[in-house]
Amino acid sequence: MKDLNHIQHFYFIGIGGIGMSALARYFKAKGKFVGGYDRTPTELTNTLESEGIEVNFSENIAAIPPEILDNLSNSLIVYTPAVPKDQPQFTFLKEKNFEVVKRAELLGVISKQMYCLAVAGTHGKTTTSAILGHLLKETGAKVTAFLGGISEDIQSNLIMQGDEVVVVEADEFDRSFLNISPDIAAITSMDADHLDIYGDKSELERSFRDFAAKIPHDGRLFIKNGLPLEGSTIGINDESDFSVQNIRIEEGSYVFELKTPSEIIQNLKFNLPGNHNLLNAITALAMAMEYGSPTDGLARALFSFKGVQRRFSYKIKTDNLVLIDDYAHHPAEISAVHQAIREMYSNKQILAVFQPHLFSRTRDFAEDFASSLSNFDKVFLLDIYPARELPIEGISSAWLLDKISNSQKSLVQKKDLSKKILAENADVVVMLGAGDIGVEVEKVKKALLHEA
């Protein structure tokens, strides 16, 4: 790749993606020309346009801005693996010898230019990296952070407060994280996932070991206790190097102590529910401490963290009704959300609405999905969100529904969802999935508030 300082014009194919949009914002803030294509307008693309980034929604070559077409020598075309290889703009720009790189390659180049803190893991990396970016920002570090979700604190997926240290979410999909050059890294989990890419769990684990091997000798790796890796361990009420102790809940927040190799930090407070979020929080704390952030400032910053959109996001929170939106799309994530809800609402009726994501993932983890979903009092399933896949014969939401042991279960169409949820009169409604269920959440919220 050319020297990034030489490039003045950036064009992102798939600019509405969460990782792509953060990079687009970064180069726009650097004073570069930034444009891009996506299939459909979204709230995120609307925000990008309001920030002065040119976004088009036509695949036609004519939609490519002249600032790109007229500047072959100092333009860079960035794409994601989600973009079909026959996308007209992609093929045209490649044929015209524009430099074309994957998003992960560009992020890798940036990670080499600064001291890099990278968070990897099949679950937890978005929340952990968002907490870490927040901790560094609030304690005065000159930090840039590329987040895999919209932080509630800044209503953005990009933190820009300097260029001494960069926080990145290291994505295992398509082995993208092997482009990153981490100085300090964490691996939060290594559950089987993306088997359409890896084939089996052993290949996925090998990829994580390859990522860990990229850390230099004077760097450090933090791992969730129990993972088959060498590193500083993170845990809850155990003998980990960094362990949460004496947890209690006060006014809906966790209050706890953190045992580190050198000290016990008392009276830490954190507002996100669930053991999985506690692990995310102390992973971020450990990384920030290793970087050199002051401990007293970190405690204040942790308590002020508000969360990430679509990660246990409260859309309604009253004494009589709770609506939660969460990105969970893997059985382990669904179980983690269930644990958090039961802890906070132990005596309430809980209705889970789940949109399976990918035919292959539904097939590969069907029994685990059924087991995790059966823990809720009632379950609604939406049709499978196909994303990048074509249907697989015999794999459907109706097929998955049959495997759920809970008798209070239904297959529901999007158009009927709000009406069906209202009819159930549940105390707590949680909407789960990585597809377009987030759009439905807003419709359900309006219906529930109207009824109330």
Side-chain angles (χ1 to χ4, degrees):
M1 189 189 300
K2 298 169 188 162
D3 177 7
L4 282 180
N5 294 323
H6 172 68
I7 295 168
Q8 299 300 316
H9 306 86
F10 291 81
Y11 190 69
F12 292 84
I13 303 178
I15 196 168
I18 196 72
M20 292 281 272
S21 57
L23 285 165
R25 284 171 154 156
Y26 174 76
F27 287 107
K28 178 67 178 174
K30 291 277 188 184
K32 312 290 187 179
F33 171 84
V34 178
Y37 156 84
D38 217 295
R39 282 187 304 176
T40 52
T42 62
E43 193 175 329
L44 187 47
T45 59
N46 292 342
T47 306
L48 294 178
E49 289 181 293
S50 74
E51 294 169 3
I53 294 171
E54 281 196 32
V55 184
N56 65 74
F57 304 97
S58 165
E59 291 188 340
N60 290 342
I61 290 149
I64 301 170
E67 288 89 345
I68 300 297
L69 292 176
D70 297 343
N71 289 285
L72 173 66
S73 63
N74 63 2
S75 291
L76 186 67
I77 315 304
V78 189
Y79 73 100
T80 76
V83 172
K85 295 297 180 283
D86 60 353
Q87 202 269 3
Q89 292 184 2
F90 177 81
T91 54
F92 172 81
L93 290 164
K94 212 162 186 186
E95 286 167 3
K96 292 296 182 184
N97 291 320
F98 280 84
E99 186 169 13
V100 179
V101 299
K102 278 187 183 178
R103 178 191 71 88
E105 293 175 64
L106 180 56
L107 191 59
V109 170
I110 296 169
S111 77
K112 288 185 178 74
Q113 295 176 341
M114 293 181 255
Y115 193 86
C116 178
L117 278 60
V119 182
T122 44
H123 333 293
K125 57 183 173 288
T126 295
T127 302
T128 304
S129 57
I131 298 170
L132 178 56
H134 177 78
L135 295 178
L136 295 181
K137 176 174 74 77
E138 292 297 303
T139 52
K142 293 178 179 176
V143 59
T144 293
F146 297 95
L147 309 178
I150 302 297
S151 168
E152 298 281 13
D153 296 272
I154 57 172
Q155 292 299 305
S156 179
N157 52 354
L158 176 68
I159 295 170
M160 280 191 78
Q161 190 171 281
D163 55 8
E164 288 184 2
V165 58
V166 62
V167 173
V168 301
E169 182 174 322
D171 188 3
E172 76 281 358
F173 176 75
D174 201 29
R175 296 178 174 83
S176 291
F177 60 178
L178 299 183
N179 291 281
I180 303 297
S181 298
D183 294 288
I184 300 171
I187 296 177
T188 61
S189 51
M190 286 171 26
D191 293 311
D193 200 2
H194 305 302
L195 298 186
D196 54 326
I197 301 290
Y198 286 100
D200 60 35
K201 186 179 180 181
S202 64
E203 275 301 306
L204 175 75
E205 290 183 348
R206 180 186 314 210
S207 191
F208 275 102
R209 285 194 296 274
D210 291 343
F211 170 72
K214 293 176 70 67
I215 301 166
H217 292 301
D218 58 350
R220 194 164 181 188
L221 174 64
F222 296 91
I223 59 169
K224 181 184 175 184
N225 197 6
L227 293 183
L229 295 164
E230 290 293 320
S232 298
T233 50
I234 307 283
I236 296 176
N237 288 325
D238 59 13
E239 295 306 310
S240 296
D241 299 314
F242 292 79
S243 178
V244 174
Q245 312 274 333
N246 299 320
I247 307 164
R248 61 191 190 276
I249 296 173
E250 293 181 2
E251 299 175 351
S253 300
Y254 287 120
V255 182
F256 60 94
E257 296 173 359
L258 176 61
K259 178 183 73 68
T260 79
S262 60
E263 61 182 319
I264 294 176
I265 305 169
Q266 300 193 348
N267 285 321
L268 289 167
K269 295 180 181 179
F270 185 58
N271 289 316
L272 300 192
N275 286 343
H276 63 301
N277 279 322
L278 266 180
L279 286 168
N280 294 337
I282 59 168
T283 302
L285 275 171
M287 294 178 77
M289 290 164 68
E290 176 69 14
Y291 177 67
S293 301
T295 304
D296 55 345
L298 288 174
R300 287 192 299 273
L302 184 68
F303 182 57
S304 69
F305 181 72
K306 293 177 184 172
V308 180
Q309 286 181 13
R310 301 221 62 228
R311 270 55 173 198
F312 212 96
S313 297
Y314 284 104
K315 307 306 265 185
I316 301 173
K317 189 180 183 183
T318 69
D319 291 341
N320 302 318
L321 178 63
V322 172
L323 175 63
I324 296 165
D325 179 24
D326 197 279
Y327 189 72
H329 57 284
H330 184 281
E333 295 167 345
I334 293 170
S335 294
V337 169
H338 176 263
Q339 180 271 326
I341 294 175
R342 286 286 182 214
E343 186 173 51
M344 293 294 165
Y345 304 101
S346 55
N347 300 316
K348 303 276 191 179
Q349 279 273 313
I350 303 168
L351 165 64
V353 182
F354 178 53
Q355 181 188 48
H357 185 262
L358 299 178
F359 293 98
S360 61
R361 185 183 280 124
T362 306
R363 175 198 63 201
D364 293 340
F365 302 107
E367 302 302 330
D368 293 332
F369 274 125
S371 176
S372 61
L373 289 165
S374 295
N375 290 321
F376 294 95
D377 298 307
K378 299 175 182 177
V379 180
F380 286 172
L381 285 191
L382 298 176
D383 287 333
I384 295 172
Y385 184 80
R388 56 187 179 271
E389 292 185 338
L390 295 172
I392 297 173
E393 188 177 349
I395 308 303
S396 67
S397 287
W399 172 78
L400 177 59
L401 191 75
D402 284 341
K403 296 178 178 294
I404 296 172
S405 60
N406 188 336
S407 61
Q408 301 285 306
K409 59 183 181 179
S410 304
L411 193 63
V412 179
Q413 299 302 309
K414 286 180 189 171
K415 63 182 176 62
D416 303 322
L417 186 57
S418 293
K419 182 174 67 178
K420 295 271 191 184
I421 289 174
L422 284 168
E424 290 297 328
N425 207 24
D427 303 312
V428 179
V429 180
V430 57
M431 299 180 66
L432 306 164
D436 59 3
I437 190 171
V439 177
E440 303 307 314
V441 170
E442 294 304 317
K443 298 175 188 175
V444 170
K445 177 182 175 179
K446 282 182 185 173
L448 288 171
L449 290 174
H450 182 264
E451 196 66 19

